[in-house]
Amino acid sequence: MGEKVEKEGMSMIAQNAILVETIEKEMRTLKIQKEYHVNPMQKVHIITAKPNSIAPKDEFIDVEFLEKLHKANLGPKAKLNKPQTEAQEIGWDVEPLVEMDKSDPRLHHPRVNSELTNYMHAFWLEKEQAKMG
């Protein structure tokens, strides 16, 4: 199934006629695009010049467009004075209200390892390594 069976006795003229007919069918359905445009729904990727080429000195730079582009890349706190949605209100002020004092044992609880926890950590690491390989 799917094997090409070569017809014996088919001349070069018959093969050429089949090829011409196939090309004519393709040309009937071919539609050549002459108008090209950028999809406005997709992000535009700017392609830089080749590294060894010399850029023309009279290149036009749109200052207004560059300002809008830089403003669009800023975070919401840099662009807005206050949050516009409830979702923005949740993470708007992320700075801590009280400065953390690491010398105060009531507020600072660092991870403390003992001899037993170090032993069990090494034991579990060895066990996981044995599973992996």
Side-chain angles (χ1 to χ4, degrees):
M1 197 165 107
E3 296 177 19
K4 286 188 175 180
V5 178
E6 196 171 317
K7 295 181 181 179
E8 294 180 23
M10 187 178 273
S11 68
M12 292 294 286
I13 296 171
Q15 288 178 356
N16 190 29
I18 292 172
L19 178 65
V20 168
E21 183 180 342
T22 305
I23 292 172
E24 286 175 354
K25 284 181 184 178
E26 289 177 0
M27 293 304 285
R28 275 184 270 166
T29 60
L30 181 68
K31 181 181 176 187
I32 298 175
Q33 293 286 345
K34 294 186 179 181
E35 292 182 23
Y36 299 99
H37 58 278
V38 177
N39 185 355
M41 303 306 285
Q42 289 184 343
K43 193 173 190 179
V44 178
H45 299 287
I46 299 171
I47 300 173
T48 59
K50 294 182 180 180
N52 293 335
S53 67
I54 299 172
K57 298 197 189 299
D58 59 338
E59 189 174 316
F60 175 72
I61 297 173
D62 190 1
V63 178
E64 183 182 342
F65 174 73
L66 286 177
E67 288 174 358
K68 287 182 181 179
L69 184 67
H70 291 304
K71 185 176 181 182
N73 288 333
L74 293 175
K77 285 189 83 170
K79 288 191 272 188
L80 307 168
N81 295 333
K82 58 184 178 179
Q84 292 184 333
T85 63
E86 289 183 19
Q88 286 180 341
E89 286 179 11
I90 294 170
W92 196 258
D93 294 315
V94 293
E95 292 85 22
L97 298 174
V98 179
E99 195 66 35
M100 182 179 243
D101 184 15
K102 292 187 177 185
S103 64
D104 188 1
R106 296 175 298 165
L107 302 174
H108 183 65
H109 304 284
R111 185 175 183 178
V112 180
N113 291 334
S114 66
E115 203 173 306
L116 182 61
T117 56
N118 289 336
Y119 171 76
M120 287 308 294
H121 178 69
F123 175 76
W124 282 107
L125 281 177
E126 190 175 310
K127 190 174 179 181
E128 289 296 320
Q129 290 294 329
K131 282 183 188 177
M132 299 283 281

